Amino acid sequence: MDDESRIVKLVSKEGDVHEVPLSIAKMSILVSTTVEEDDEDDDDDDVREIPLANVKNEVLVKIIDFCTHYKQEPMTAISTPLKSSKVENLVQEWYSDFCKVDQKLLFELVTAAN
């Protein structure tokens, strides 16, 4: 079964479960490594549950939205030197709007990305 049709369940810190195509979930190195290790251990194609104990549900939802959109419309590369100090002049509108969140959530998104 290919990664497009396989589903994984990502579980947030609060226990909320999100079913996501494996191809999107594997954009995360943590998820990709977990899946590869699990594939080595057994040969079944069961839906896997991957706990993300340090990721709040609100953050996980945003990450899934970002990865899903990125898969459909990759963000254009930001050229350097920067031609503007405004993000809306550097990337597509969707990505610019994605960054318009409160500072705490933005910090949590950056932390989760690491």
Side-chain angles (χ1 to χ4, degrees):
M1 194 180 291
D2 68 348
D3 289 355
E4 291 293 326
S5 57
R6 289 175 67 189
I7 299 293
V8 294
K9 293 180 179 181
L10 303 179
V11 184
S12 71
K13 179 180 188 173
E14 297 88 351
D16 295 299
V17 178
H18 302 273
E19 291 191 3
V20 180
L22 182 58
S23 62
I24 290 173
K26 282 177 74 173
M27 292 173 79
S28 158
I29 294 171
L30 172 66
V31 171
S32 183
T33 303
T34 302
V35 168
E36 288 171 12
E37 289 173 357
D38 192 42
D39 281 346
E40 291 171 6
D41 293 341
D42 70 271
D43 295 324
D44 65 18
D45 282 333
D46 291 343
V47 174
R48 291 169 177 78
E49 223 175 70
I50 301 173
L52 302 170
N54 296 326
V55 182
K56 291 181 183 177
N57 190 58
E58 177 185 20
V59 174
L60 183 56
V61 168
K62 291 287 282 182
I63 291 169
I64 293 168
D65 286 347
F66 181 91
C67 292
T68 301
H69 186 83
Y70 185 88
K71 187 102 172 136
Q72 296 167 354
E73 180 193 4
M75 188 172 77
T76 55
I78 298 173
S79 60
T80 55
L82 297 177
K83 295 179 172 121
S84 173
S85 61
K86 296 182 178 186
V87 72
E88 54 269 6
N89 295 333
L90 302 172
V91 297
Q92 296 104 308
E93 182 178 4
W94 189 91
Y95 292 101
S96 173
D97 290 344
F98 180 85
C99 294
K100 293 177 183 172
V101 295
D102 65 63
Q103 195 169 23
K104 183 178 183 216
L105 178 56
L106 187 59
F107 177 78
E108 289 174 338
L109 287 166
V110 170
T111 301
N114 290 328

